[in-house]
Amino acid sequence: MDRLVNTVRPYAWGSATAIPELLGMEPTGEPQAELWMGAHPGAPSRVDRGQGAVALSEVIAADPEGELGPDAVRHFGPRLPFLLKVLAAASPLSLQVHPDRAQAEAGFADEEARGVPIDAAHRNYKDVNHKPELICALTPFDGLCGFRDAGETAELLAALEVDPLKPYVDILHARPESHALREVLTAVLTADREAMADTVHQTAAAAERLGAQDGPYAPAYRAYASIARHYPGDPGVIAAMLLNYVRLQPGEALYLGAGVPHAYLDGLGVEIMANSDNVLRCGLTPKHIDVPELLRVVRFESDGPGVLRPEAESSGEEVYTTPIDEFRLSRYVLPEGGGPRPLSSRTPQILLCVSGEAVLRGEAGEAAELRLRQGESAFVPAGEAVAVSGPGTVFRATVVA
């Protein structure tokens, strides 16, 4: 097992304090948005096996089957198929959606054939993989996830009493739901920018007013008003109003599958995703928005946000069940004086301590002991027998193979 040395990504939307507090470090005053753990080429973790720090991606490339196990290599190839993060949002991330694997493969091939540079600002597909993801709250965590029921959205918009929104209300009442959602989102994203900016300003003022009152949509109105303060005049503010607003409590999670529009708004969480950089944006960003491609990828289906709670197993492991194989996220809440919990696996593992302390012991006992303080993490190669004890809370990331 290896202690990981990880990189913090300083995206503008990040909190200046949440990740430093987790790591027990002084804030720099700059945003610190994501702590990456894994072998993503953009910022691979580093390990030291006695010959100096080396990127985890290089360690895996030198011996894929030894590090990942034959099962994982057979299913996913010679690379770690997931990226684990701590995400700290102080302002909204872009409203976005991810393609499924077939869409990613087709989109990547098309852009390659047309000679679109891989680093071009207008490139949609950076690879051929899908990007399902799971976010688990460490603090109260606000987000948007999936389309709200069309009739409820019509009520929410109508209550704002903003004249330019009335055609959208009529569409949501009159059309079959999938057609209505597609038609409204298309209208919002293709409208005249100046006229839409005025609509957004009126809508934001109305949302501020209704968010200060009692009512079933008051929390959502407050969230949309906050989004508008961060992105004044952005059409994505109206697009966001089509989505479910959700506040996760610590330990609750959201799974974001292909085609589901979503945005993270505020809070600290553990995120895990398949290794991919494929993102199609709907708004709340100065980056490129390809409306036709976006509309091809989005699933125009309403559903609740589908809040996940962990399922406890007899071993003490609490598992967040998802329908994909590239990752499996679980946690252990380890009590003071509790016995060690075995974590043997045929596939690779990353263990992240988010509170207290975790002690990892290998088969060699004290000679193979690694202590993780809050915010620290470790990589455990496939097949290595490890047991963990506390007191602390540990997230475990691995794959299903």
Side-chain angles (χ1 to χ4, degrees):
M1 54 190 167
D2 303 277
R3 185 184 304 277
L4 294 178
V5 178
N6 304 309
T7 298
V8 175
R9 307 306 294 264
Y11 305 132
W13 48 261
S15 166
T17 59
I19 287 178
E21 287 176 3
L22 180 73
L23 298 177
M25 301 171 61
E26 286 294 320
T28 65
E30 300 297 320
Q32 299 190 33
E34 295 181 348
L35 178 71
W36 284 24
M37 290 155 282
H40 191 286
S45 300
R46 299 178 301 284
V47 301
D48 188 341
R49 295 184 174 176
Q51 298 177 329
V54 179
L56 181 58
S57 53
E58 295 179 19
V59 171
I60 291 171
D63 183 12
E65 288 207 359
E67 301 295 336
L68 305 178
D71 292 335
V73 172
R74 184 169 58 253
H75 281 84
F76 308 112
R79 65 189 186 96
L80 189 67
F82 64 82
L83 175 63
L84 184 67
K85 301 178 181 180
V86 175
L87 182 147
S91 61
L93 283 67
S94 62
L95 188 61
Q96 60 189 257
V97 69
H98 306 303
D100 63 27
R101 185 176 281 109
Q103 291 166 336
E105 290 173 349
F108 183 85
D110 173 66
E111 290 185 322
E112 288 288 282
R114 291 190 286 115
V116 181
I118 197 71
D119 58 352
H122 63 286
R123 175 111 185 192
N124 293 316
Y125 297 96
K126 305 296 179 67
D127 53 67
V128 297
N129 202 16
H130 64 165
K131 192 184 178 185
E133 58 190 47
L134 177 78
I135 183 77
C136 178
L138 295 178
T139 66
F141 192 98
D142 291 347
L144 306 174
C145 179
F147 288 108
R148 186 189 296 103
D149 173 82
E152 293 179 3
T153 296
E155 291 179 8
L156 180 146
L157 295 179
L160 293 164
E161 298 182 337
V162 174
D163 285 344
L165 298 181
K166 291 179 179 178
Y168 305 150
V169 173
D170 293 341
I171 292 169
L172 291 167
H173 278 312
R175 305 275 198 279
E177 184 169 77
S178 62
H179 296 286
L181 294 170
R182 176 183 290 273
E183 189 171 343
V184 172
L185 184 62
T186 302
V188 169
L189 297 182
T190 58
D192 176 79
R193 292 290 297 216
E194 186 173 338
M196 180 54 68
D198 182 65
T199 299
V200 172
H201 293 317
Q202 294 181 56
T203 301
E208 288 274 12
R209 173 175 51 82
L210 292 179
Q213 303 174 11
D214 292 331
Y217 299 121
Y221 287 132
R222 290 194 290 271
Y224 301 136
S226 175
I227 293 170
R229 288 194 293 274
H230 286 99
Y231 294 96
D234 192 309
V237 174
I238 307 300
M241 290 187 162
L242 303 177
L243 307 186
N244 295 293
Y245 162 73
V246 60
R247 165 161 282 199
L248 299 178
Q249 296 303 318
E252 295 180 333
L254 289 175
Y255 171 72
L256 294 315
V260 178
H262 61 277
Y264 302 145
L265 304 181
D266 183 78
L268 181 71
V270 173
E271 183 184 33
I272 189 168
M273 61 182 61
N275 254 337
S276 174
D277 292 320
N278 290 327
V279 176
L280 290 140
R281 295 175 176 84
C282 315
L284 312 183
T285 178
K287 295 182 179 180
H288 174 65
I289 298 177
D290 184 335
V291 175
E293 187 65 13
L294 171 72
L295 296 174
R296 192 177 73 83
V297 168
V298 170
R299 286 174 44 210
F300 289 97
E301 303 170 3
S302 69
D303 200 358
V307 174
L308 294 177
R309 295 172 182 85
E311 300 174 8
E313 300 190 346
S314 58
S315 63
E317 186 177 24
E318 300 177 344
V319 181
Y320 294 90
T321 303
T322 63
I324 50 90
D325 295 336
E326 281 91 342
F327 60 74
R328 176 183 183 274
L329 186 70
S330 61
R331 71 175 184 177
Y332 287 84
V333 181
L334 303 165
E336 180 84 44
R341 308 290 175 85
L343 303 179
S344 300
S345 175
R346 296 181 303 166
T347 54
Q349 306 177 67
I350 291 180
L351 305 174
L352 166 66
C353 179
V354 297
S355 68
E357 181 181 78
V359 180
L360 308 181
R361 289 190 176 90
E363 292 179 319
E366 293 294 332
E369 180 178 292
L370 183 62
R371 289 180 177 268
L372 299 180
R373 295 175 300 177
Q374 179 176 293
E376 294 183 333
S377 56
F379 174 74
V380 182
E384 185 169 329
V386 172
V388 62
S389 57
T393 299
V394 174
F395 277 85
R396 181 192 193 196
T398 185
V399 303
V400 180

